Amino acid sequence: MLQPRDPRRWLPLLTFLCCACGPLRQVQAAPSLVDTMDGSAPVLRLLPAGDGTRVVRQVIDHERYRSGVGSEHVLLRTPAGRSAHLGFPLPSSRVLSELGFRADVFCSQAGVQLAVSVSLPRSVDPQTGRPYQLLLRSEEPGRGGEWEELRFSNLPATLDRQLRVARSGSDQGLDARGAYATSLVLIAPAGENATSLWVDQITVVGAVPGGPADAGANPRRDPSAEVPSVEFPRIIQWQGEDFGALQQLGFNTVGMSRPPLPHELQAAREAGLRLVCPPPPVSEPAPSIGAEYEPVLRWQLGGYDSADDLRSAVQRRDLLRRHDSSQGRGTLMAAGLNPSRSSRASGAVLLERSTASGDLTLRETGVWLQSQGRAVRPGTTLWAAIPTQAPQRLSEQARGYGAPLSADVALPYRTLMSLSSAALSSGAGGLYFKSHAPLTQSGGSSLERRLSLELNNRRLALMEPWVVGGKRMTAARSNVAGLTAVVLRAERSFLLAPVYWPERVGLDGGVQPGGPVTFVVPGVPESADAYLVTPAQVTRLRHKRVTGGLRITLDQLPPEAVLLMTDDKRAFSQVAGAVRAGAEQAAKLRKDLVELRLGADRAVNESLRTVGVDQEGPHPLLQQASAEHAAARQYFTQRRWGLAYEAAARAAGSLDAYEAASYRLVVDDVTGVRTGLEQSATMLPTLAWLRGRIQREAPGAGYIAASGFEDLQRMLASGWSHRSLDLDGVEGAVSLSPTAAHSGSYCLRMAVKPGQGAERAPRVFAAPLWVESPPIEVSAGDVLEISAEVRVPEPLLGGDGLLVFDSIGGLELATRIEGAPSWRKTKLWRTVPVDGTVRVTFALAGVGVAEVDSFAVRRLNLKQGPAVASRGPRPPLFPAGPPSDLPRSGNAKVR
C-alpha cells in the first residue's frame, strides 16, 4: 500500500542540482548533514528528565511544514516551570568554531531553544562512570507562533563559558580536550496547555568526525579491514545503534535513511557490515563517489508514489552511473504504487506492506508478496520488508487508554520467523527488518526484539547456502491443514522450511497444531538421509521412499526447525558444525526469550483477573509453560543445549496457546468492534477493561456526526470529498446508489473497474479510490465509536478490500472488509485526548464494488468505577488538526 514519500532519499540529487543551478538559500558552508524531518518515521527522542514530561503524540505531519512534503510534529505535556528536551542524534563531531546548526521550528509557545549535548572524553562523571556530559544552550530563543530558523554556532566559546560554571560546582577538573558533540537538543518550554512543536529541516555544517578514539580513550581497530561480500542481505533499519552491536545480533547489512559520514563508513567497515543508504551529493568532474564508499552495498533511490518519483529515480540512477567509481554497485527502490515501474528504474525492489497489517493473515501476505514478485521485470532482485514492532499508532492508542503494561509491543519471535519464511517462499533474496525505535533502548520490548532478531538470524544463517545457491522447488505439503514447506535445492541437498498458514489473524491464529507431521518431498535421491535441524541440534529422522518422493515423519515439529535431506556428507558436516558452534548461544536465547514472555503473560493473567475476566487461579497453560521453562533452565545448567532448546520451544508453544485462549475470552468477534488492541497479548487487559466500562446508551445518544448519503450537494457542502489515484489499468467512480440502501433512499457506492482495453482485472497495489468525511470536532478525553454499514456484494479482485480507518489510527489500524454480501456493521473505537478534529476514510483497494451507509460517530460514556491496578493517568494523544493519511501526490485528484 501507499507509503509516505521520503524526500531524504532525494537529497543527493537536490544537492547536486543546487550546486549546478545556484543555492536555494544562503549558507556559509556546504552542509555536512541535512535531515528534512519528513521520512517514514519520527527521529526525535524525548531525553529523560524525571519531571513527568511525556510525549503525547509524535508523527510525520504532511499538513504543516516549511519545506519538502512534511515535518515532524511532537505534542508534549510538561509540568509548569519545566521544559522538555528532545534529542536529535548526531554523528560524533569535534567541537570546533566551524561547527554550526540550523533548524526550522514552529512552536506553540515562545522560548524554544537549540542546544547541543557535548561529551568530554578525558573527564569521567563519578555518578555514571562515563565521560562527563555538558548541555550547551544557544542564546537566541524562538518567538513562537510562527515558522522560524533557529541557529547555533561558535560552540567553543559557549563550551568555555559553560566549563567555568561546571568547574565551580565540581570536585574535579574538567578537561575540554577532544570534546565532541553527540546530539542536537531542542528545548521546548511548558505552557498552560500541551506544547506543540513542529520541526522541519535540520542542517549541520562544519562537522569534523571526532570521538573517544580521537581523545586517546580507545584505539581504533584495524582500518584496513576488508569489506565482506553479502549474498543474502539481512538488513536492520538503523536507529542510531552501534554497528558492532548490530553485527553481534547476526545482521550483515544496515539500512540508513541518509548518506553515511566518513566515520560511519569506517565503523561499518570495522564491524564487517555493508550499508544500504541514499547516495552522497555528487559534483563534477566524475567520478566523485570514491573508494571510501566501498561498504555501501546498494544506493537507495526512494519509493514509487507517483510518476515524478519514477523520473527522479531514473535521473539519480543515471547520475550515479557517471559518478560512482564502483560500477558494480547496485540500486534499490521501494515498490510503492507499482512494482513493475519501480523495477525499470532499479536493479532491486523492496516489497513492503504495512496497511491494515493487523487484519492480514500470513497466507494473504504470502500471496501479496508473490503477486508483487510476478509484477517486476525478470531478473530484478527482490527484498522483503519485515516489521519488528507493532504499529506506532497502536502503542499510542494503548497509552491513551492507560494500558497497565508496556504499550511498545515487539512482534513475537514466531511472527518474525513466519514472515521471514513466507518472504523466502515468495522469492525474496534479502530481508529488511523495520522498526521505529532503537534496539538498544532499555525495557522488555527492546530486549525481546533483540533476542528474537538474533535467534531468527541464526535460523536464517543456517538456510543461507540454500537461499543463495539453491533453486526453489514446488512447496511440499503435509498431513496438517495449513502447513506446507518451502523446498530449496542445492546440488544433491534439499532444505525444507515449514510454514504454517493459519486462517485466522493475530493471537488466535498463530498456534501451530501439534501431533505427528508427515511431509512428502518429490525428487529426493533414495540414498539421502533426513535430519531435523534447529539452531541448537541436529536429529536424524525416520523416512521412507513412497510414490511421489521421500516421506518424512515427525512426532512433533518445532515451529523454527528446518528439514535437511542429503546424501552429501560434506553438506551435512557443514550444517552440523555450524549448529554445534552456536548451540549454547541459541539455547540461551530461546530460554531467555521464554523467560521474558512468561513474566509478561503472568502479568497479563493477573491484570485480566483484576478487570473481571474469568481466570480462576494460575492458568494451567502458564503452569505448564513454567514447568517447561524450569526444565529448560536445568538442561542449560547441565550444558545439554539441544534439550534446553527443545524444552524452551515447548514452553513458547504453551505461551502461544495461553495467549490464544485469553484472546478468545476477551475479543468478541460478533460485535465487529475493532480497537487495534486485539493485536497484542499485553493489551488484552486494557481491552477487557475498556469493554467492561463502556456504558451502553439509548439509541441516538452521544452522536456528534452522522450521514445517510441522501443528498450529494449537501454532502459536498458539508466537506465530504473523494480522491482517485492514477493507477495502471483501473478506473474509479463514486456515486449515490438508489439500489437496496440500508436506510433511506440512497447509499454511497464506490466502484473500481478495469480500464479500457484491459482483458482481465489487474492486480491493484494501492487503493485507487478514497472517500473522506468532513472534519469532525472532538474533545479531550473522548472515546469515539465510528460506525458504518458496509456491503461488498462480490469479493474484490486483486487488492486489500474495503479499508475503513480514521485520522487517529491511520492506515496502520484500518479495518478491512473483503466480502459482505449483505449489510454489515463495522465499528472502530478510538481514544481522543486533545481538542481537535478527526476524519474518517473509506478506501477501495481492489477491483469491484463497495457500498457504505448509515455512517455515524458518537461519544461513548465510560462507567465510573475503580481503575485497573497500576493504571496511570491517561495521556492525550491526538493534536489539534491531525495529519491525514490520504495520498498527497501529483496524481491525486479532488472532486
Side-chain angles (χ1 to χ4, degrees), residues 56-88:
V56 170
R57 180 123 172 110
Q58 187 171 8
V59 296
I60 301 300
D61 189 341
H62 297 285
E63 298 287 342
R64 175 174 287 179
Y65 53 89
R66 195 174 194 182
S67 59
V69 296
S71 65
E72 183 163 334
H73 180 200
V74 187
L75 188 69
L76 299 152
R77 287 282 190 189
T78 307
R82 302 280 186 172
S83 57
H85 290 199
L86 295 165
F88 174 85

Side-chain angles (χ1 to χ4, degrees), residues 781-827:
D782 285 350
V783 176
L784 302 180
E785 180 182 84
I786 301 166
S787 63
E789 295 286 344
V790 298
R791 181 170 63 183
V792 182
E794 299 290 339
L796 299 174
L797 302 177
D800 280 342
L802 176 64
L803 304 175
V804 184
F805 61 94
D806 60 282
S807 51
I808 301 174
L811 278 166
E812 292 178 328
L813 300 185
T815 190
R816 186 171 60 102
I817 300 97
E818 282 191 293
S822 58
W823 287 104
R824 187 177 91 189
K825 185 179 285 295
T826 185
K827 297 179 183 178

Side-chain angles (χ1 to χ4, degrees), residues 230-589:
V230 171
E231 296 181 288
F232 176 34
R234 298 187 297 276
I235 312 161
I236 182 65
Q237 183 176 0
W238 189 59
Q239 298 287 358
E241 301 96 336
D242 177 74
F243 285 167
L246 297 177
Q247 189 273 339
Q248 290 176 3
L249 294 179
F251 294 104
N252 54 29
T253 309
V254 172
M256 302 180 68
S257 61
R258 59 167 174 79
L261 296 176
H263 75 281
E264 291 166 343
L265 289 166
Q266 181 62 31
R269 183 191 297 270
E270 293 174 3
L273 292 174
R274 302 300 297 271
L275 300 176
V276 175
C277 57
V282 295
S283 59
E284 300 295 349
S288 58
I289 300 177
E292 68 273 18
Y293 287 96
E294 188 182 0
V296 175
L297 180 64
R298 287 186 180 272
W299 298 120
Q300 291 180 355
L301 299 181
Y304 176 65
D305 290 340
S306 71
D308 291 340
D309 293 341
L310 186 64
R311 285 191 292 270
S312 297
V314 171
Q315 290 173 0
R316 296 180 69 188
R317 180 199 64 194
D318 295 342
L319 197 65
L320 287 169
R321 286 175 178 173
R322 295 199 306 270
H323 288 267
D324 193 348
S325 62
S326 175
Q327 295 300 314
R329 186 159 24 232
T331 56
L332 172 70
M333 189 171 186
L337 298 182
N338 195 315
S340 176
R341 292 187 182 182
S342 300
S343 65
R344 299 175 196 169
S346 175
V349 171
L350 178 65
L351 310 179
E352 183 171 8
R353 188 185 209 188
S354 60
T355 301
S357 58
D359 246 3
L360 291 168
T361 65
L362 185 64
R363 183 185 299 277
E364 290 167 331
T365 300
V367 170
W368 179 86
L369 286 169
Q370 289 176 351
S371 66
Q372 291 255 323
R374 287 193 293 267
V376 303
R377 188 176 58 178
T380 302
T381 299
L382 296 180
W383 289 354
I386 296 177
T388 66
Q389 294 176 277
Q392 195 166 11
R393 296 199 187 204
L394 173 60
S395 301
E396 293 168 352
Q397 279 291 293
R399 283 189 287 268
Y401 289 123
L405 300 173
S406 171
D408 186 16
V409 178
L411 262 61
Y413 167 60
R414 69 172 184 274
T415 303
L416 291 178
M417 179 193 62
S418 298
L419 288 173
S420 300
S421 296
L424 295 178
S425 72
S426 304
L431 303 179
Y432 198 138
F433 294 90
K434 294 297 191 79
S435 63
H436 53 77
L439 283 167
T440 51
Q441 283 185 334
S442 59
S445 175
S446 293
L447 176 58
E448 182 179 357
R449 282 196 295 142
R450 291 197 297 272
L451 295 173
S452 298
L453 286 167
E454 183 177 354
L455 194 57
N456 189 51
N457 280 334
R458 286 178 173 270
R459 179 176 183 266
L460 293 173
L462 290 174
M463 301 171 62
E464 182 168 357
W466 284 266
V467 174
V468 173
K471 178 182 179 182
R472 287 171 177 82
M473 313 293 288
T474 303
R477 298 190 177 275
S478 74
N479 63 324
V480 177
L483 180 65
T484 64
V486 183
V487 183
L488 304 173
R489 178 179 181 178
E491 297 181 353
R492 305 197 312 269
S493 300
F494 293 73
L495 191 76
L496 273 70
V499 185
Y500 177 56
W501 310 89
E503 294 296 333
R504 295 182 62 85
V505 181
L507 298 174
D508 198 26
V511 182
Q512 183 169 307
V517 176
T518 299
F519 287 101
V520 176
V521 189
V524 180
E526 188 172 353
S527 58
D529 288 321
Y531 305 90
L532 178 72
V533 182
T534 71
Q537 69 176 350
V538 179
T539 307
R540 188 182 293 271
L541 294 174
R542 302 193 305 272
H543 60 282
K544 182 180 180 181
R545 170 65 55 184
V546 296
T547 302
L550 195 70
R551 184 174 66 193
I552 302 173
T553 302
L554 305 92
D555 295 329
Q556 194 76 27
L557 176 64
E560 64 269 44
V562 295
L563 308 180
L564 173 64
M565 290 151 291
T566 183
D567 58 3
D568 186 344
K569 301 302 181 183
R570 184 179 58 179
F572 169 76
S573 298
Q574 289 177 345
V575 171
V579 169
R580 283 195 301 271
E584 179 179 2
Q585 180 64 9
K588 184 179 186 302
L589 290 169

Side-chain angles (χ1 to χ4, degrees), residues 592-615:
D592 291 350
L593 190 56
V594 166
E595 185 172 349
L596 198 64
R597 284 189 62 198
L598 185 58
D601 282 354
R602 283 171 177 162
V604 167
N605 191 68
E606 184 60 33
S607 294
L608 286 174
R609 294 175 60 192
T610 303
V611 297
V613 177
D614 186 16
Q615 302 249 56

